[in-house]
Amino acid sequence: MAIQEIKVPDIGDFTDVPIIEIHVQAGDSVQVEDPLITVESDKASMDVPAPKAGTVKEVKVKVGDSVSEGSSILLLESAAGAGVKAAAPAGEEGQKPPPAAAPSAAPSTTPSSAPPTGQIADFSRVHASPSARRIARELEVDLNRVPPTGLKGRVTQEDIQNFAKGGTPATQPAAASSSGGGEGMDLLPWPKVDFSKFGPVETKPLSRIKKISGANLHRNWVRIPHVTNHDEADITDLEAFRVQFNKENEKAGIKVSMLAFMIKAAVASLKQFPEFNASLDGDNLILKQYYHIGFAADTPNGLVVPVIRDADQKGVAEIAQEMGALAKLARDGKLKPDQMQGGCFTISSLGGIGGIYFTPIINAPEVAIMGVCRSYWKQVSPDGKQSAWRFMLPLSLSWDHRVIDGAAAARFNVHFANLLADMRRIVM
């Protein structure tokens, strides 16, 4: 038998990230890829898996410790000569997890025993899945107090949500917090149905990306008062220019999508309307002086949101090339956590698929998101006299009503559309 020191592998451009869970203790047997610890940055949670099978001899860290790449985690006793699989933060098929939007700063008011500020409760001995644990952290629920209803004493997501709503044990529903509320809603329990009695079924586990994004989307939808404005942008001239530009630069391998122009338009609009380039911090509004734009990228395992950093300092062609590189990394499951962090505003484009309008969910802690669908030809009459066929881009702007009012949202949409109608406005 050989004893090996297990260390934190490459976790991206992060140092001193806190340990939020420890999944093993001395004497435990582990298999390859079993989670040892979970660390959490400001945007993503990452499991550090076992690089080989063996028995834990000594755990060298505790919940709340900060670790970096190379930090010692534990000592593992395994058979001599056993192969070691390179450790990486666990994700679906080796992928790093997508961005988990940071929760609002103001604490929620749930029937929990949340640890005092600066402390992290130790839930390592609670029998619960990673997704259930993540929901518990987001709702600030003390897992040790949640009565389990799952098989073999497992705490389920429903157990946590019921406890957060005051259902178990019986308590008064909590008042909505200043960060959005939603925990105290008196909702009916989720229906439990044996679908197989109605016909053949197939059970397919959700990918890790969908589990993580699903919890974040649910939180964002419940806790942010969404409003969506719909509008159209006349991109007839811009589309003609884009096609001509791509034709001229075909041999150079440069291809610009409409989304790259939209990112530049988003930057200019954020500068014009700074309350859209902000985040809520309790009763304060944090106005950002940088312009990092996220875009939704479709992958086989679900949507992720890479971020174009300092988009205000880059041209459209450079943005297009960076988008292509990030989208490929996303599809290959190789995006690093820092490539999905720091976004100020997100654009979600369904242009390659179809549709007209939809309601995109805000990517907290951002306060707005732009959704766009497939462009279409439409006969319009701008002056009310003569009509002409124009190429129109549908816009769907969702915004946080705690920060933005309807008039500002309408002006933002109009400004954004005007920039796309004539990109020369950006240089003025």
Side-chain angles (χ1 to χ4, degrees), residues 177-243:
S177 72
S178 61
S179 60
E183 298 86 354
M185 294 189 301
D186 186 16
L187 300 177
L188 292 173
W190 194 261
K192 295 185 180 298
V193 181
D194 179 10
F195 297 101
S196 62
K197 69 181 181 181
F198 302 114
V201 298
E202 177 186 0
T203 300
K204 181 180 179 182
L206 287 174
S207 68
R208 182 178 176 85
I209 286 179
K210 288 185 177 179
K211 287 179 181 178
I212 296 173
S213 62
N216 289 317
L217 290 169
H218 178 264
R219 178 200 61 204
N220 296 348
W221 182 252
V222 169
R223 301 184 70 173
I224 299 175
H226 284 67
V227 182
T228 304
N229 281 35
H230 302 295
D231 210 329
E232 294 176 320
D234 184 343
I235 60 169
T236 310
D237 297 336
L238 181 57
E239 176 63 8
F241 171 76
R242 187 187 73 84
V243 171

Side-chain angles (χ1 to χ4, degrees), residues 51-71:
K52 62 195 310 183
T55 301
V56 177
K57 300 299 294 182
E58 178 186 354
V59 178
K60 294 191 169 186
V61 292
K62 63 182 182 299
V63 170
D65 284 353
S66 295
V67 294
S68 306
E69 180 180 353
S71 298

